[in-house]
Amino acid sequence: MASSTLLAILKLLMILICAGWVALWILKPTQIWTRKWKVAEESANNTIFGYYGLNFAVYTFPIIAVCIIGLLFLDLKAANQRSRSSRTSSIISSSPLVVNSFLGILSSIEILVILLFILFLAWTYYARISNDFKKLLPDKSLKLNLWQLKYLRIATRFGLLAEACLALLLLPILRGLALFRILGIQFEASVRYHTWLGTAMIFFAAIHGASTCFVWGVSHHIQKEIWKWQSTGRIYLAGAITLVTGLVIYVTSLPQIRRMKFEIFYYTHHLYTIFLVFFLFHGGDRHFYTVFGGLFLFSLDKLLRIIQSSPRTCMISARTFPSKAVEIVLPKDPWLKYMATSVIFMKIPAISHLQWHSFSIISSSRAENQTMSVIIKSEGWWTNSLYDLIQAEIEKGADKRKGIPVAIEGPYGPASLDFLKYDSLLLVAGGSGITPFLSILEELNSSSSKSRYPSRIHLVYVIKKAQDFCLLHPISHLLVNHSTENCHLNLKLFVTQETQAGVGIKELLNEFSKVRTLELDTVCANYAVHGPESPCCLAAIVGMSSIIFLFFLICFNHVIIPSGKHSNSSKQKTPSWMVDLLLIAAFVLALACNGLVAVLLRWRRLKKGIQPISEKDMKPLDLSSAEIRNALEEHEVHFGGRPNFEDIFGMFQEETCGSNIGVLVCGPETLKESVAAACRKQSNCFKFGGGKRTEPCFTFHSLNFTL
């Protein structure tokens, strides 16, 4: 009872802080806010905090405060849910409302938030432009006539729209400090919000930059203004560098380049440092504080991830499959627990010292106490290099094999498994999209609570070739014993690009004999994978970081610019880039101090090293008994065609009448769209009325196995 009350209080605090922060952004374009804010800054300049402390507290700290409270909320929620066993009702907000090849799959909540954000941008632009045009006069110093000055103000206000997008841009890609986990949205799913915000930001910034250059061009001031690095006011050269850098990042992140040339996308994305630094020089510190919350959390999150991954581990073993896929087994600290569908980020120095790639964990921490596993299919340069590396080690003699060092970030996963608490589950996977479902099936099979999770599961697996069936190797024991104590599993396999007569699950299971296993030397594995710090520890680090930053910022501004405490004229005489550098210096020192604390905490956890690991034996399947043959006959294999999801949903309705059904899909976007359309058509969740529902309610969830 006490924990539930505390959870409600923390949730209320987050709602109030977010509401206040949103209200601030809505009021910011108004004249009332402008007048009040000037008075507040003048009053703050007479205190030890100065205008910079006020800007940090009002614009930046609310996001940091939500992160701190959210981490405490997630930690308490995880402890509270261990004692819960009830199932959740269907979640209306997760059901697909729009299914479109261009827009993707959108829920009602997502559409509402998008519309509200567009309305906010329209309000901000209208309020700014209307106020500008009321007091607009020709500028004789710049020799701009009225229409040129109007166009310049229009261009400037587009820059403020880009600033609003930038304020939210980095929040969806936080991992350890992920705010979206509070809403039940995993990191892989929230990345698309980062993509949307980045596209909008570049669009507004391009209009802002191009229109400004146009005005300077027609007034013959472009060479004078664009190359000038003045002491005060807008530095247009810094803005030009910011825009060019942003365009490079955006163009190289387009799907056509990201999928074909991932390395170009990966390396150019690290230009964000140049982008943000020159944005600070261009906009000044007052504008920078409005976007600083996301940057503050992102930088701290990045630092903590670097510290977490710096003690490398080693592969324990690996398996290669006929479909050019690799299963990698890693040592795990016994105390490390993670949820099903969690992902890790992996770097293998033998392939690349810089590239990190995300993969779904296929094992369950409930079933595997000392190891974790991932399956990686060869689909690009990095994954092909990994497959070749493992094959080369297999070809060597056992005495010549060496350990393969691996750096790991994560695991990162959902805060709870509420999305699995249905009467029945329909899992739809395409190709490598099976990997999150492997961990779900292992989790459900090893669960000690029979009433907490679904007892009936249908798995629809769509593959191109029959050899891809080997990806089900980790759950072969569930296919053979499809009806276990905890769940009943039924498989429908669709092989789309091959036609074979008389081939069933039994014949496909015989292909598992082609799987090759590699046992590796673990001498290099001084440390197991320990995972991120606890949410409470992360909350303390975030809070301490903000305090240290503010302390250094106040010290620098009072020591290096001492007279600024007493008058505004000295501030005006101080170059704006000097004030910006003081902000950067305070931020870097705050990160360094907290990095030292994080390192000490990390090494304190790692001092025990790695414990001896007992590798479980994968016994060959015995398919000769009549009981197993009867069990395998319940699974279906279809060659040469794609699944008809409307028929599958209809059959599931007949088998699970009147129950809540969770529909989880992972795979190509076309597969997700097909399932979402069928789910929207068949589901009766939106049909409210009196009486008991007698037809199943399908609730849609989209998962991602990689980025």
Side-chain angles (χ1 to χ4, degrees):
M1 183 65 183
S3 60
S4 299
T5 304
L6 186 55
L7 281 172
I9 293 173
L10 293 176
K11 187 183 294 185
L12 180 61
L13 277 175
M14 287 188 289
I15 292 173
L16 291 176
I17 294 173
C18 288
W21 193 67
V22 171
L24 181 153
W25 277 90
I26 294 174
L27 291 173
K28 190 182 174 185
T30 63
Q31 287 295 312
I32 297 175
W33 176 266
T34 302
R35 290 194 298 268
K36 296 289 185 182
W37 188 248
K38 285 183 179 179
V39 174
E41 281 195 338
E42 290 175 359
S43 301
N45 277 330
N46 297 321
T47 67
I48 191 174
F49 293 101
Y51 79 93
Y52 39 84
L54 178 65
N55 276 271
F56 179 79
V58 174
Y59 289 113
T60 303
F61 189 71
I63 293 296
I64 299 174
V66 170
C67 179
I68 295 172
I69 298 172
L71 288 169
L72 297 175
F73 175 82
L74 291 175
D75 190 62
L76 185 61
K77 183 180 179 182
N80 189 40
Q81 285 192 336
R82 294 189 189 104
S83 59
R84 287 174 51 193
S85 60
S86 61
R87 291 176 179 168
T88 58
S89 59
S90 63
I91 304 172
I92 296 176
S93 61
S94 67
S95 298
L97 189 62
V98 172
V99 180
N100 184 276
S101 58
F102 177 74
L103 297 175
I105 303 169
L106 299 176
S107 67
S108 56
I109 292 296
E110 287 175 326
I111 294 174
L112 178 61
V113 171
I114 291 171
L115 292 176
L116 289 175
F117 186 68
I118 293 174
L119 186 63
F120 158 73
L121 293 177
W123 153 251
T124 299
Y125 192 76
Y126 167 77
R128 292 288 190 184
I129 286 295
S130 60
N131 291 329
D132 289 342
F133 284 5
K134 287 177 183 178
K135 52 185 180 181
L136 205 60
L137 295 173
D139 195 323
K140 295 181 180 180
S141 62
L142 293 176
K143 298 180 181 179
L144 296 178
N145 57 37
L146 194 58
W147 81 265
Q148 292 171 343
L149 199 56
K150 282 186 176 181
Y151 195 71
L152 182 61
R153 301 312 298 169
I154 290 173
T156 301
R157 296 318 179 189
F158 269 107
L160 293 180
L161 299 185
E163 181 182 294
C165 296
L166 181 58
L168 302 173
L169 180 66
L170 298 175
L171 298 179
I173 54 174
L174 297 174
R175 298 179 195 172
L177 306 178
L179 294 176
F180 281 80
R181 289 181 63 206
I182 303 170
L183 304 174
I185 302 173
Q186 295 191 55
F187 167 76
E188 318 88 73
S190 65
V191 168
R192 70 171 179 168
Y193 306 141
H194 169 77
T195 304
W196 295 347
L197 288 167
T199 302
M201 182 194 71
I202 290 298
F203 173 75
F204 295 133
I207 295 177
H208 167 67
S211 300
T212 303
C213 290
F214 173 75
V215 172
W216 295 136
V218 297
S219 61
H220 307 291
H221 284 81
I222 188 166
Q223 291 185 348
K224 176 184 175 182
E225 296 294 333
I226 202 69
W227 298 110
K228 185 168 62 176
W229 193 285
Q230 65 268 34
S231 297
T232 58
R234 297 286 176 267
I235 301 175
Y236 293 106
L237 177 58
I241 296 173
T242 303
L243 178 58
V244 171
T245 306
L247 287 172
V248 170
I249 294 174
Y250 175 74
V251 170
T252 55
S253 65
L254 293 173
Q256 295 84 350
I257 296 178
R258 187 181 72 247
R259 292 169 184 166
M260 300 298 296
K261 299 288 183 181
F262 178 82
E263 292 75 21
I264 296 176
F265 155 77
Y266 182 83
Y267 294 128
T268 54
H269 239 62
H270 286 78
L271 295 174
Y272 68 84
T273 305
I274 297 174
F275 176 86
L276 292 167
V277 168
F278 281 95
F279 170 79
L280 170 60
F281 288 138
H282 173 63
D285 59 335
R286 282 180 170 86
H287 283 275
F288 192 73
Y289 283 115
T290 61
V291 305
F292 189 41
L295 173 60
F296 188 95
L297 294 176
F298 176 79
S299 301
L300 189 57
D301 184 69
K302 181 77 172 178
L303 177 64
L304 294 174
R305 290 190 280 115
I306 291 173
I307 294 171
Q308 179 203 343
S309 62
S310 55
R312 296 173 183 170
T313 185
C314 266
M315 300 180 193
I316 296 175
S317 63
R319 297 185 182 93
T320 59
F321 301 103
S323 58
K324 289 200 71 176
V326 178
E327 178 184 352
I328 294 176
V329 183
L330 302 167
K332 178 183 76 70
D333 184 80
W335 294 101
L336 174 60
K337 303 298 179 183
Y338 51 85
M339 298 290 182
T341 74
S342 294
V343 300
I344 59 172
F345 286 77
M346 180 184 298
K347 179 180 73 173
I348 301 179
I351 300 175
S352 172
H353 288 278
L354 299 175
Q355 288 192 34
W356 292 85
H357 294 263
S358 64
F359 302 102
S360 294
I361 301 175
I362 64 169
S363 54
S364 166
S365 59
R366 190 192 303 271
E368 301 292 336
N369 199 35
Q370 294 179 303
T371 61
M372 61 168 42
S373 306
V374 295
I375 284 184
I376 304 169
K377 192 172 181 181
S378 300
E379 294 179 337
W381 171 81
W382 193 91
T383 51
N384 275 299
S385 299
L386 173 61
Y387 183 82
D388 294 339
L389 178 65
I390 300 299
Q391 285 283 45
E393 290 294 324
I394 291 177
E395 299 301 328
K396 294 180 182 178
D399 56 334
K400 296 182 179 180
R401 292 172 183 167
K402 297 180 180 180
I404 301 177
V406 182
I408 298 295
E409 285 182 16
Y412 305 112
S416 68
L417 292 179
D418 282 346
F419 65 96
L420 296 181
K421 296 177 183 176
Y422 295 95
D423 298 320
S424 303
L425 276 181
L426 177 60
L427 309 179
V428 182
S432 300
I434 190 64
T435 51
F437 297 149
L438 299 179
S439 63
I440 289 176
L441 293 172
E442 289 284 8
E443 181 77 18
L444 298 180
N445 185 58
S446 59
S447 174
S448 58
S449 175
K450 300 179 182 179
S451 61
R452 187 176 181 183
Y453 297 126
S455 57
R456 191 171 189 85
I457 303 170
H458 276 217
L459 173 60
V460 179
Y461 188 29
V462 185
I463 55 179
K464 293 180 179 179
K465 298 181 179 180
Q467 63 181 10
D468 295 334
F469 177 77
C470 287
L471 295 183
L472 296 180
H473 181 266
I475 60 165
S476 55
H477 59 289
L478 295 179
L479 295 176
V480 174
N481 303 306
H482 69 99
S483 184
T484 62
E485 184 180 357
N486 292 337
C487 63
H488 178 92
L489 174 64
N490 181 265
L491 171 67
K492 296 180 184 295
L493 181 70
F494 292 84
V495 184
T496 60
Q497 295 184 3
E498 289 183 355
T499 55
Q500 297 183 29
V503 176
I505 292 293
K506 180 180 178 181
E507 289 73 22
L508 292 175
L509 286 173
N510 290 328
E511 294 293 313
F512 287 172
S513 60
K514 299 179 181 178
V515 175
R516 303 179 68 184
T517 302
L518 169 68
E519 301 293 337
L520 289 164
D521 185 3
T522 58
V523 173
C524 68
N526 296 320
Y527 303 101
V529 178
H530 281 70
E533 301 293 338
S534 67
C536 282
C537 184
L538 292 176
I541 291 175
V542 173
M544 186 171 63
S545 299
S546 58
I547 294 172
I548 293 175
F549 166 76
L550 193 57
F551 171 78
F552 279 121
L553 187 64
I554 292 171
C555 289
F556 288 158
N557 277 275
H558 282 265
V559 172
I560 298 177
I561 315 176
S563 58
K565 176 180 176 182
H566 306 289
S567 66
N568 291 330
S569 59
S570 60
K571 280 285 181 184
Q572 294 172 359
K573 293 177 183 178
T574 304
S576 61
W577 56 264
M578 175 66 73
V579 179
D580 299 339
L581 288 177
L582 294 180
L583 192 155
I584 294 174
F587 184 43
V588 170
L589 285 174
L591 289 178
C593 292
N594 285 279
L596 179 61
V597 173
V599 168
L600 294 175
L601 290 173
R602 190 69 183 169
W603 284 104
R604 185 180 177 184
R605 291 180 64 191
L606 298 177
K607 64 182 180 180
K608 293 182 180 180
I610 186 171
Q611 298 181 1
I613 297 174
S614 56
E615 181 77 0
K616 69 175 185 178
D617 296 328
M618 295 295 294
K619 297 180 179 179
L621 297 174
D622 181 11
L623 307 178
S624 59
S625 67
E627 182 180 354
I628 291 179
R629 288 199 302 270
N630 292 334
L632 293 178
E633 288 178 358
E634 293 196 18
H635 301 304
E636 301 177 16
V637 180
H638 304 272
F639 282 91
R642 299 182 180 275
N644 186 321
F645 289 110
E646 291 188 11
D647 291 345
I648 292 174
F649 275 72
M651 292 174 61
F652 214 30
Q653 280 183 334
E654 297 176 1
E655 296 178 13
T656 57
C657 183
S659 64
N660 291 328
I661 302 173
V663 180
L664 280 67
V665 58
C666 185
E669 289 302 318
T670 52
L671 177 69
K672 292 181 180 180
E673 292 166 8
S674 300
V675 176
C679 184
R680 184 182 59 181
K681 184 176 181 180
Q682 296 288 338
S683 181
N684 296 281
C685 295
F686 293 101
K687 296 180 181 178
F688 297 102
K692 184 179 178 181
R693 186 178 68 237
T694 58
E695 295 185 4
C697 173
F698 294 99
T699 305
F700 180 85
H701 298 272
S702 176
L703 302 180
N704 295 288
F705 60 94
T706 187
L707 297 183

